[in-house]
Amino acid sequence: MTEKYAVVVVGGGAAGLSAALVLGRARHRTLVVDAGEPRNAPAAHMQGYLTRDGMPPAEFLALGREEIARYGVELVRDRVVDVARSEEFTVVLAGGRTVQARRLVVATGLKDELPAVAGVAERFGRDVLHCPFCHGWEVRDQPFGVLASSPASVHQALMVSQWSKDVRFFLHTVAEEELPDEDLRRLAAAGVEVVPSEVAGLAVEDDRLTGIRLADGTEHARSVLFLAPRAVPQTGLLEGLGAELHDTPFGAYPVVDATGLTSVPGVWAAGNAIGFAEQVVHAASGGYRAASAIVGDLLMTDLDAAAQV
Ligand SMILES: Cc1cc2nc3c(=O)[nH]c(=O)nc-3n(C[C@H](O)[C@H](O)[C@H](O)COP(=O)(O)OP(=O)(O)OC[C@H]3O[C@@H](n4cnc5c(N)ncnc54)[C@H](O)[C@@H]3O)c2cc1C
């Protein structure tokens, strides 16, 4: 017999665990299915989450898993590979299990696709960084490089100048003529040096970034490199359910209301599954919002059904 849950939460990062905590405390039988690949896994510390600033991401999630277990929420390490919608949702796990759910929370996060520069992937989250709010304080006042991936990278070069006055902006594959005059003026005002040459690789000594090697043979001493990974939203399950998506400069994400309800009745989404800029605290908050909306939705559905008998 297929097991029945009130809610299946797909993804056990901050968004999914937060939704599960609220659902468990509201006495709903809830299953979290988590493939165990949270986005911030490469980072040693999680910053900017009030009261948890500096906690290792894995410890934060382990605490979350402990908390949901107190309320009887089940969690399995598996991957949801398919969801079919009829009266309820039929959720298929890679491990072979199939379960039923009345409501669904999709909290599948996003993947970061890094630029194809040798050495970048190995150092991501350490001294190759994407987010000054996550890491800026820890690397403040060091010599920064910023790797352009498009003219929009100017924004990152300007932002990181809040944390160091020694910033070099490597245009890499972007031509200087592509930068609007206003951007060039702002870069100059921020004291950011523009370096119009392709980046060939990183110089590393004793497992620390020491420089940026350019295709013209020169090397710039830098101990931090900021770059913008291409965000790859994990929307496959939502697309399979026919959810409406909207385009953003950071990929296509589901259209959601203020609670995270998608265009598919009964399906909510939270965290990086709804947008690139969702930090951990936003993801946790989005999970809470979705769960509380689901609790109300299930209750009203059941009361309406009872009133019709
Ligand atoms: C290097 C780095 C450092 C960062 N540092 C910070 C920081 O200091 N502070 C901060 O606030 N934010 C930081 N972030 C951003 C942070 O990672 C995200 O805000 C956060 O992970 C979003 O939580 P989430 O629950 O939406 O997604 P995730 O944490 O990515 O969790 C999604 C989970 O869903 C699982 N999953 C995906 N698909 C399926 C499926 N089909 N079936 C089952 N499970 C599935 C994944 O395996 C994963 O475990 C950082 C990001 C990076 C890349």
Side-chain angles (χ1 to χ4, degrees):
M1 262 218 349
T2 313
E3 286 169 282
K4 282 181 180 284
Y5 291 89
V7 185
V8 168
V9 178
V10 190
L17 291 177
S18 176
L21 180 64
V22 175
L23 291 162
R25 286 175 49 77
R27 316 179 72 181
H28 279 302
R29 188 169 187 225
T30 302
L31 174 70
V32 179
V33 185
D34 183 34
E37 295 167 356
R39 183 179 171 212
N40 55 354
H45 302 283
M46 176 188 82
Q47 309 292 162
Y49 193 119
L50 193 65
T51 78
R52 297 294 175 267
D53 185 50
M55 180 178 269
E59 190 181 331
F60 176 75
L61 295 178
L63 286 173
R65 289 192 291 268
E66 263 175 52
E67 288 179 0
I68 65 168
R70 282 181 213 153
Y71 301 99
V73 173
E74 297 164 55
L75 183 143
V76 288
R77 179 55 47 89
D78 207 332
R79 180 174 289 278
V80 173
V81 288
D82 192 33
V83 181
R85 176 169 164 245
S86 50
E87 287 257 304
E88 299 196 337
F89 297 96
T90 305
V91 181
V92 182
L93 280 56
R97 194 171 158 196
T98 297
V99 299
Q100 296 285 124
R102 296 180 65 195
R103 301 290 182 271
L104 212 63
V105 178
V106 176
T108 45
L110 64 77
K111 294 272 180 220
D112 293 291
E113 199 177 278
L114 294 166
V117 171
V120 152
E122 293 82 346
R123 310 208 64 77
F124 185 55
R126 300 167 64 201
D127 39 28
V128 172
L129 308 170
H130 76 300
C131 162
F133 293 98
C134 309
H135 311 279
W137 174 266
E138 285 64 39
V139 296
R140 64 194 182 280
D141 296 330
Q142 295 186 33
F144 289 180
V146 178
L147 179 74
S149 43
S150 78
S153 295
V154 169
H155 184 254
Q156 190 176 37
L158 293 173
M159 286 300 282
V160 302
S161 72
Q162 176 64 25
W163 283 270
S164 172
K165 292 299 157 215
D166 180 2
V167 182
R168 287 188 200 157
F169 183 36
F170 298 101
L171 291 187
H172 192 41
T173 53
V174 175
E176 195 164 357
E177 304 75 63
E178 291 181 69
L179 304 184
D181 287 346
E182 187 191 25
D183 283 353
L184 290 169
R185 276 197 297 272
R186 281 182 169 162
L187 289 164
V192 174
E193 185 186 334
V194 177
V195 183
S197 181
E198 197 170 330
V199 170
L202 308 181
V204 176
E205 279 170 35
D206 295 331
D207 200 24
R208 294 170 73 98
L209 181 70
T210 55
I212 310 301
R213 286 191 288 103
L214 303 184
D216 63 15
T218 57
E219 187 174 312
H220 290 246
R222 303 282 94 186
S223 55
V224 176
L225 180 66
F226 280 92
L227 48 72
R230 191 174 80 84
V232 184
Q234 301 297 289
T235 44
L237 297 173
L238 290 168
E239 286 176 70
L241 287 163
E244 193 185 332
L245 305 183
H246 67 106
D247 284 324
T248 78
F250 308 103
Y253 294 88
V255 174
V256 291
D257 75 2
T259 70
L261 177 63
T262 69
S263 61
V264 183
V267 180
W268 273 258
N272 275 151
I274 67 159
F276 163 79
E278 299 290 295
Q279 296 286 79
V280 181
V281 73
H282 304 125
S285 161
Y288 198 122
R289 252 189 259 276
S292 50
I294 289 172
V295 172
D297 183 46
L298 285 172
L299 181 62
M300 299 315 154
T301 303
D302 291 345
L303 293 178
D304 288 350
Q308 277 175 10
V309 174

